[in-house]
Amino acid sequence: MTITLATKFTIARIVLIFPTIILYLIGALSNDSSVQMGLIIATGILFALVCATDFIDGYIARKTHTVSDLGKFLDPVADKVVIVVMLFLLVYFKFGLDSAFAGNGLVIAILSAIILSRELLIGVFRSIAASKNLVLAADIFGKIKTILLDVGVTTLIYAYFNNVIAWVGTIIFYLGAFFAVFSGVNYILKNKHVLKDTKEVKAE
């Protein structure tokens, strides 16, 4: 099996999440404020790089007409792993999240659970569509959701530094959570024929 250039970028995205996690964990557990600060800055940069590869591999796949089944499987997996793991770390350590307002960390934890539930639901929905050989078009609202969550989470990593950054990251993340729910509902409603019985679809 030949691995395309686009798929290599997707694999790189999955691999890069590990050093991102390690940097954040070492920083979070360090008692040295200067080391902690440096590692959190590095984490944010590396996380932003990981998110950027999502747009790079998609662009390459479309430009070179090398969309592969492996790529179509790995790309959404990489997206979910990157966001879910980083959100878990942010919610667990809560560095600077509550500097926006008291209880912000809890709200972000609840929204993260909703986002994860949305992703699982859409994943099941796509599996049903695939089992019926139905191809579903990408949703622009889903892309907006991805961009907002990527930028929001990257900014929240730096909430550690001051409350202005915490507020900016929080607002962007909240918008991302809104679009996660909105795009999920819109996606299912737009493709509700997927849930119809196969015989019923053929009869139409």
Side-chain angles (χ1 to χ4, degrees), residues 31-203:
N31 294 319
D32 188 323
S33 59
S34 60
V35 170
Q36 195 171 67
M37 186 180 299
L39 289 176
I40 287 191
I41 290 174
T43 299
I45 293 172
L46 191 53
F47 181 78
L49 179 62
V50 170
C51 292
T53 60
D54 180 27
F55 301 96
I56 294 173
D57 59 15
Y59 174 79
I60 292 174
R62 290 189 298 272
K63 197 74 174 177
T64 59
H65 304 290
T66 54
V67 177
S68 65
D69 289 336
L70 179 61
K72 286 190 286 187
F73 168 73
L74 289 178
D75 188 60
V77 169
D79 294 343
K80 309 307 177 284
V81 169
V82 167
I83 286 293
V84 170
V85 171
M86 203 65 235
L87 277 175
F88 174 81
L89 292 175
L90 285 174
V91 167
Y92 184 80
F93 289 103
K94 291 201 301 186
F95 277 149
L97 298 188
D98 286 343
S99 65
F101 63 87
N104 185 37
L106 177 60
V107 175
I108 289 177
I110 294 171
L111 292 178
S112 297
I114 292 172
I115 291 169
L116 177 57
S117 299
R118 180 264 189 204
E119 299 299 344
L120 291 173
L121 179 61
I122 294 299
V124 172
F125 189 78
R126 284 175 175 157
S127 296
I128 295 172
S131 69
K132 297 180 178 181
N133 295 316
L134 296 174
V135 178
L136 304 182
D139 192 323
I140 183 63
F141 296 115
K143 293 179 180 178
I144 293 173
K145 174 266 302 182
T146 299
I147 293 172
L148 287 172
L149 289 181
D150 286 349
V151 175
V153 172
T154 301
T155 308
L156 284 174
I157 291 173
Y158 294 127
Y160 167 86
F161 294 100
N162 65 63
N163 64 334
V164 174
I165 296 175
W167 265 112
V168 172
T170 295
I171 292 170
I172 296 173
F173 180 78
Y174 282 12
L175 285 172
F178 167 78
F179 273 99
V181 175
F182 178 80
S183 64
V185 172
N186 181 67
Y187 190 79
I188 291 174
L189 290 178
K190 189 173 67 174
N191 299 290
K192 57 187 177 185
H193 58 278
V194 170
L195 300 177
K196 290 184 179 181
D197 184 76
T198 304
K199 294 180 181 179
E200 185 181 347
V201 173
K202 288 182 178 179

